[in-house]
Structure formats: structure tokens, C-alpha cells
Amino acid sequence: MRAFLIAGLALAVSACGNIANIRAYSTAYVEPGSGDTARLRVITNGMARGVPSSDCIDWRVPGAGVMAVSQSGFTEQNNGRDLGMPASRREVGGQGLARSELKVPAGKPFAMNFQSTGYVSGGYSYSCQQSFSLHAKGGSGLRADPIG
């Protein structure tokens, strides 16, 4: 009986973490409503997600979510956002890429996670995933071009 109780508690605790992970794919990133901001252009062949005011990936942070996604079935609310940043040499049309320009908090950490769409070869699936954090300066335009 005790083993069932421990297994049930472990399952419940892991479910809480999994709910946060699922939310990270279905919730759009929310730009800061006030304070100093910087502009960030994201171009991806998969999914780019952000966590404001954090050095680590924690999808429970308010505002955390999807910044740009090239596949349907996820929140695409931020795709195609244009803040008037200077033109990029990277073309987006017809290549299965998603592009978005968003405001991020300046002077604070900002954690990001990129997942490429990947490809299948020889019965195996290959994709890339990278997480990192950055500190944006106010008024600056940052750029991330993760093409897996």
C-alpha cells in the first residue's frame, strides 16, 4: 500500500511539471506592458519561446510562451509581428520559416529556448534544441536566427 502511495505522489508531482511544459507550447509570449524594452527579431524553422526576467527556463513565469512557430497546431499569435526593425538579409517566404519582432524587457535577463523542426532520415528523427539567456540594452535591436 505504501508503494502505491509513493508512486501516486510521484506521478502527481511529475504531472505538475508536465502541465507547465504543455502550457509552454500553447501560450503566446506576452510583451512587457511597461518599463524599458528592447526589440528582438526571431526567425525560426521550428519554435522559439521566451521567459521574461529570468536566467532560466521556467514556463510558469508570467509572460512566458511562444514567440514564433513555423508549424501549425501551436499558438501562432505572435507570428509575423513587425516593429519596424531594419530589413534583414534573411528571407522568410517559402522556406517554412516563421518570423516575429517582439519587445523584451531591457536591463533584465531573458531566457530563450529554440527547437528546430528537424528532419527524418533512415527511420530516425533529428532536431536541435538550444536554451540560453541574454541581457538586452534599452532601445537596442537584438536578433536571433536559429536555423536547425
Side-chain angles (χ1 to χ4, degrees), residues 51-120:
V51 183
S53 303
S54 179
D55 274 329
C56 63
I57 301 297
D58 182 354
W59 303 120
R60 297 168 295 182
V61 171
V66 177
M67 300 176 82
V69 61
S70 64
Q71 305 98 340
S72 61
F74 299 99
T75 183
E76 301 169 18
Q77 178 177 328
N78 288 321
N79 281 359
R81 285 281 314 276
D82 186 352
L83 297 178
M85 294 177 70
S88 168
R89 286 179 271 147
R90 170 107 33 209
E91 292 295 323
V92 178
Q95 297 179 17
L97 302 176
R99 176 183 184 274
S100 184
E101 296 176 2
L102 299 159
K103 293 179 183 176
V104 297
K108 297 179 182 176
F110 189 83
M112 293 191 73
N113 174 266
F114 292 98
Q115 290 178 282
S116 73
T117 299
Y119 63 95
V120 176

Side-chain angles (χ1 to χ4, degrees), residues 2-145:
R2 183 174 180 197
F4 287 118
L5 179 62
I6 291 171
L9 287 173
L11 181 63
V13 169
S14 69
C16 292
N18 287 334
I19 289 170
N21 286 336
I22 291 169
R23 180 183 170 275
Y25 292 100
S26 61
T27 302
Y29 167 74
V30 178
E31 294 176 310
S34 62
D36 202 12
T37 61
R39 297 175 297 165
L40 175 70
R41 176 181 294 140
V42 179
I43 300 173
T44 182
N45 75 340
M47 180 180 289
R49 299 177 292 167
V51 183
S53 303
S54 179
D55 274 329
C56 63
I57 301 297
D58 182 354
W59 303 120
R60 297 168 295 182
V61 171
V66 177
M67 300 176 82
V69 61
S70 64
Q71 305 98 340
S72 61
F74 299 99
T75 183
E76 301 169 18
Q77 178 177 328
N78 288 321
N79 281 359
R81 285 281 314 276
D82 186 352
L83 297 178
M85 294 177 70
S88 168
R89 286 179 271 147
R90 170 107 33 209
E91 292 295 323
V92 178
Q95 297 179 17
L97 302 176
R99 176 183 184 274
S100 184
E101 296 176 2
L102 299 159
K103 293 179 183 176
V104 297
K108 297 179 182 176
F110 189 83
M112 293 191 73
N113 174 266
F114 292 98
Q115 290 178 282
S116 73
T117 299
Y119 63 95
V120 176
S121 176
Y124 293 96
S125 177
Y126 300 92
S127 66
C128 298
Q129 178 171 318
Q130 181 68 45
S131 295
F132 61 92
S133 67
L134 54 90
H135 285 78
K137 293 181 181 178
S140 67
L142 300 173
R143 182 175 143 186
D145 288 338

